Amino acid sequence: MVSLFQTLSNGRTQMSQQLPEILDISIAAKSRIFEIQAVELKFSNGEHRTYERFRPATRAAVMVLPIDGDDLLMLREYAVGTERYELGFCKGLMEKGETPEQSANRELQEEIGLGAKHFELLRTVNSNLTFMNAPMHIFVARDFYPSKLAGDEPEPLELVRMPLAKIDALLADEHFNEARNLVALYALRDYLKG
């Protein structure tokens, strides 16, 4: 079998196949928040297909995992997708002109009422690549100071302290199941072991 990937000396892979040609992009549907695009493609073998995707993000997002002593600071927030309150991390879109660290600090102040003096990037992720391009920078934050900024949440968010020693229990919690939150927690677990 012929592989489409080449393994490089650093252990990473590189695609060796030609990218499809984008023939046209049009709006398939649009709401107040979402835009669905129809993307007409021509593949290197001559095949034509129309894929649908969310309009690619114009701004990245951030997620912050604040560590205060032996506790992880989390939020309980209403999620309309599941129609219930979910446990997760502080997150939001970056504003124009902000660095990822500035955005992370702003989100902390809006959602938790704390600023942080130290941020460390865990990794950048992108979810559901078949339908969207929405990068998210995941940070660990430490060394806090009180600072509250007005946010856009319709109600106050509930702050939840989770002992770092209970990360494995959190991974199994039925109210903690959003994919980006899980990726962030697995990355944090590896970070703390290192």
Side-chain angles (χ1 to χ4, degrees):
M1 184 165 100
V2 176
S3 174
L4 300 178
F5 296 92
Q6 296 176 343
T7 302
L8 305 176
S9 60
N10 63 6
R12 294 181 182 206
T13 57
Q14 179 179 332
M15 188 73 168
S16 61
Q17 192 169 8
Q18 181 181 346
L19 291 173
E21 177 185 355
I22 296 176
L23 302 174
D24 188 46
I25 299 174
S26 60
I27 297 174
K30 188 172 183 171
S31 76
R32 182 176 58 84
I33 299 173
F34 302 109
E35 180 179 300
I36 308 297
Q37 296 179 333
V39 182
E40 293 181 40
L41 299 169
K42 179 182 176 186
F43 287 82
S44 60
N45 64 359
E47 288 290 320
H48 287 252
R49 292 288 188 279
T50 300
Y51 284 35
E52 290 184 352
R53 69 178 184 193
F54 286 98
R55 178 179 44 121
T58 57
R59 297 182 290 169
V62 295
M63 178 181 288
V64 188
L65 286 66
I67 297 176
D68 185 28
D70 293 329
D71 292 336
L72 190 54
L73 303 180
M74 303 185 70
L75 298 168
R76 192 176 317 277
E77 182 176 13
Y78 182 74
V80 71
T82 58
E83 298 179 9
R84 66 182 192 177
Y85 284 88
E86 301 282 353
L87 194 56
F89 298 113
C90 176
K91 60 185 165 295
L93 287 174
M94 292 177 59
E95 297 293 336
K96 186 175 181 176
E98 284 183 327
T99 66
E101 291 83 0
Q102 289 169 333
S103 182
N105 202 33
R106 178 184 47 76
E107 288 294 335
L108 269 179
Q109 293 171 75
E110 289 176 1
E111 296 184 4
I112 295 180
L114 297 172
K117 295 177 184 173
H118 178 77
F119 290 90
E120 187 168 349
L121 181 66
L122 281 178
R123 68 170 299 149
T124 299
V125 298
N126 209 330
S127 59
N128 205 349
L129 300 177
T130 302
F131 299 107
M132 58 197 296
N133 180 16
M136 176 173 272
H137 307 292
I138 302 172
F139 289 94
V140 170
R142 298 179 194 262
D143 197 8
F144 304 104
Y145 56 91
S147 180
K148 180 70 177 157
L149 295 176
D152 58 1
E153 290 74 21
E155 63 182 354
L157 303 178
E158 179 187 350
L159 181 63
V160 176
R161 286 184 166 272
M162 178 65 63
L164 289 169
K166 294 191 175 187
I167 285 180
D168 289 337
L170 180 57
L171 287 167
D173 189 307
E174 69 178 72
H175 293 283
F176 183 78
N177 59 21
E178 200 265 334
R180 295 172 304 171
N181 285 318
L182 285 164
V183 167
L185 193 58
Y186 278 113
L188 177 65
R189 188 174 69 173
D190 291 347
Y191 166 82
L192 293 172
K193 287 178 183 177

